[in-house]
Amino acid sequence: MRPLSFILLLITAVLAHAAPDYAREKRWADEITPGLVVGDAVYLAQKSGHKFLAIYTQAAQPRAAVITVHGMGVHPDWALIGALRSGLSEQGYATLSVQMPVLAADAKADAYLPLFPDAAERLHAAVAFLKAKGHRKIAIASHSLGSRMSNFFLVGTPDPGVAAWISIGIVPSEFAEPGKLRLPVLDIYGEHDFSQVLQQAEARANALRTLRGSAQIEVAGADHYFGGSESELVRRVRQFLDQKFR
């Protein structure tokens, strides 16, 4: 699938009339919040009045704050996102892990395109929450389809309030409208990632050459979900953030 422009995605959203599955969001929240060991559940509000789950984790004298964004159909404490949000908080970064809009479990990636404006609104609310907490340096670390949602937010928002972006295994696997990105980007993926992620690595690297301070890293032995490689992912992300927020 080729990258779609911001305007085309908005038109798609209007025509499709897709809506997030709020009942599924609630089931995720009911499942994960009672067992939270690291971080506190907070609920952020959208213009519609809908409140969505986020997990805020403070850090002692934080260097910056990081919004973590999960992939398709999961939740803000899922697998590598849970490892990333908790691991970064131990390394001096406050984190806010956000519930992104979800559809039914059998929905395909293309079905999520109409939800991108909803995702962008949630990321805007996440930035506002962190600023209200006193954070002035903010980054986004996103995985898979969550990276496409983050890409949409960053290129479609005149002043997103984000100083760096870590894109982990972006799917679909090209940056949409990279010429509109105005921040350093870390493109990180696994040696055994999805074939489309690997095939488009060179195209992404070419796009990053125009963005000062950007980098691309392939993590040896890792798959798309970084199973068993979570600590290496946290280390690589932290190194990138340390360089940007000295």
Side-chain angles (χ1 to χ4, degrees):
M1 181 181 64
R2 304 300 298 174
L4 295 176
S5 71
F6 177 72
I7 297 299
L8 184 54
L9 276 173
L10 286 176
I11 293 172
T12 302
V14 171
L15 293 177
H17 298 292
D21 187 337
Y22 292 153
R24 192 175 182 209
E25 285 187 32
K26 185 178 185 303
R27 289 194 297 273
W28 278 134
D30 290 345
E31 178 179 327
I32 66 175
T33 55
L36 282 178
V37 176
V38 178
D40 299 308
V42 296
Y43 286 85
L44 308 183
Q46 295 183 259
K47 294 176 182 178
S48 65
H50 173 65
K51 293 183 178 181
F52 60 94
L53 173 66
I55 304 171
Y56 178 58
T57 308
Q58 301 185 55
Q61 299 181 329
R63 305 181 70 168
V66 182
I67 300 168
T68 55
V69 184
H70 63 76
M72 183 173 69
V74 289
H75 59 74
D77 199 36
W78 175 84
L80 74 83
I81 291 296
L84 193 60
R85 71 169 192 84
S86 58
L88 288 176
S89 70
E90 295 171 355
Q91 300 294 326
Y93 291 91
T95 60
L96 182 68
S97 194
V98 179
Q99 177 66 62
M100 303 308 286
V102 297
L103 294 172
D106 60 351
K108 304 300 183 184
D110 286 350
Y112 275 79
L113 290 176
L115 301 187
F116 280 23
D118 184 289
E121 185 182 344
R122 296 185 188 210
L123 292 175
H124 181 78
V127 170
F129 173 88
L130 290 174
K131 287 184 175 180
K133 288 289 186 180
H135 299 289
R136 294 295 174 261
K137 298 177 180 179
I138 299 172
I140 290 177
S142 55
H143 177 242
S144 200
L145 188 66
S147 286
R148 283 305 301 272
M149 291 177 171
S150 300
N151 192 164
F152 179 82
F153 167 69
L154 291 169
V155 304
T157 306
D159 184 14
V162 177
W165 176 32
I166 298 93
S167 172
I168 307 163
I170 186 169
V171 176
S173 302
E174 293 180 65
F175 295 126
E177 302 186 280
K180 293 184 178 180
L181 291 168
R182 298 289 184 268
L183 76 176
V185 178
L186 173 63
D187 175 49
I188 184 167
Y189 60 96
E191 178 186 8
H192 305 299
D193 215 308
F194 290 164
S195 60
Q196 59 183 307
V197 177
L198 299 175
Q199 290 166 4
Q200 296 300 326
E202 184 176 356
R204 295 194 305 276
N206 289 336
L208 294 183
R209 291 191 180 97
T210 66
L211 300 173
R212 184 177 180 180
S214 296
Q216 184 180 72
I217 296 173
E218 179 183 275
V219 176
D223 62 12
H224 183 67
Y225 303 104
F226 283 78
S229 301
E230 294 90 348
S231 60
E232 180 65 7
L233 175 64
V234 172
R235 186 180 75 85
R236 297 284 192 153
V237 170
R238 189 210 69 214
Q239 286 179 338
F240 180 77
L241 292 171
D242 286 350
Q243 292 174 354
K244 304 311 162 191
F245 298 120
R246 292 175 180 172

